[in-house]
Amino acid sequence: MIKKIKPSKSEKIILILLISLGIITFGTYLVIKDECLFVKNFNPKNINFKNPNNIAILNAPCGNVIIELYPTISPNGVKRFVTLIRSNAYEDIAFHRVIKNKLVQAGDLEFGKKGLLNYAKIGTGKSGLGSIKSEIDNDFNYMKGSVGLARSFKNDTEDSQFFIILQDEPLFEGEYTPVGKVLFGLEILKKIKNQRNSEYILRPDFINTFKMLD
């Protein structure tokens, strides 16, 4: 008959510590692996909007970013934006320029498509619809969450690219055409992949879908 040997008190303590360490390590691994774990995802079906016809839903890797568009402020800019959204042009397009906690930019339809990224030219691509005039005369405060159309160094060169700011940017006022503001999901944008030493991202995150609510 084999006699069972009971572990000593010190052995029990060591065993408990090892189990606790394993649980902590596994939990930390899950958090690192899933950066979206503690980010709230908003379902637009559960929200009552004042102007539902002007609501767009951008689905990023961590969930929905719900944007209200402002056609009375920038009618031509919003018209172009909605045209591209309704044509599904933004699906699988890279967030090619990201400044941590400051700005995310996407919308290069020519060189930013998933599977067809051109790192040498990304950020310079066009939509094929031509550029539109800047709409920068109306009062608009570029507060955190504002959405604007990107352009070159000259006015009247807006096309398909857009940016969303993650902090207040008063110097953008009168410089960039505003098209809307994020109502829900700003924290989701903060999870978009960024790089420490470059605004332009190697192996970037992508827009999953971008649709109007109606």
Side-chain angles (χ1 to χ4, degrees):
M1 181 175 178
I2 299 173
K3 185 178 180 180
K4 293 183 180 179
I5 301 175
K6 293 183 179 180
S8 65
K9 185 176 181 180
S10 60
E11 289 174 331
K12 288 181 179 178
I13 292 172
I14 293 172
L15 181 62
I16 292 170
L17 288 174
L18 288 173
I19 292 172
S20 300
L21 181 61
I23 292 171
I24 292 170
T25 302
F26 183 68
T28 303
Y29 168 78
L30 288 178
V31 171
I32 293 173
K33 185 176 178 63
D34 187 359
E35 293 184 353
C36 305
L37 193 60
F38 299 111
V39 179
K40 183 175 181 180
N41 187 23
F42 294 89
N43 185 345
K45 294 180 180 179
N46 298 330
I47 303 171
N48 291 321
F49 297 101
K50 185 177 179 181
N51 298 301
N53 292 336
N54 293 330
I55 300 298
I57 299 97
L58 184 158
N59 184 261
C62 283
N64 292 324
V65 180
I66 300 175
I67 300 168
E68 182 177 13
L69 303 179
Y70 299 146
T72 57
I73 294 176
S74 305
N76 293 325
V78 171
K79 182 179 179 181
R80 169 60 60 85
F81 203 40
V82 171
T83 296
L84 294 171
I85 291 171
R86 290 196 183 281
S87 67
N88 299 322
Y90 288 124
E91 295 190 3
D92 291 330
I93 296 297
F95 291 99
H96 67 272
R97 180 171 177 251
V98 183
I99 306 174
K100 186 176 181 180
N101 295 324
K102 185 174 181 178
L103 176 149
V104 297
Q105 183 171 328
D108 187 331
L109 308 183
E110 190 174 1
F111 303 119
K113 189 77 171 177
K114 183 185 287 188
L116 298 171
L117 286 178
N118 186 327
Y119 288 109
K121 295 183 178 181
I122 197 165
T124 65
K126 310 295 183 182
S127 70
L129 300 177
S131 58
I132 60 176
K133 286 187 173 295
S134 302
E135 294 172 293
I136 53 178
D137 295 329
N138 289 329
D139 289 334
F140 182 84
N141 296 321
Y142 264 96
M143 307 293 285
K144 180 169 61 177
S146 296
V147 185
L149 294 183
R151 58 169 173 79
S152 70
F153 293 108
K154 299 187 295 183
N155 286 338
D156 305 329
T157 56
E158 290 87 344
D159 188 354
S160 62
Q161 294 188 47
F162 65 95
F163 61 83
I164 305 173
I165 56 173
L166 307 179
Q167 64 178 26
D168 296 349
E169 294 288 357
L171 294 180
F172 283 21
E173 296 166 17
E175 293 292 329
Y176 297 96
T177 298
V179 291
K181 189 173 182 181
V182 173
L183 299 179
F184 303 96
L186 204 60
E187 291 302 315
I188 286 168
L189 291 172
K190 292 180 181 179
K191 295 296 184 179
I192 299 297
K193 183 179 179 182
N194 63 80
Q195 290 178 198
R196 181 178 298 177
N197 299 319
S198 176
E199 295 181 8
Y200 290 88
I201 310 303
L202 186 66
R203 293 185 290 276
D205 285 339
F206 294 85
I207 298 171
N208 293 323
T209 60
F210 202 174
K211 299 184 181 297
M212 298 299 295
L213 179 66
D214 59 358

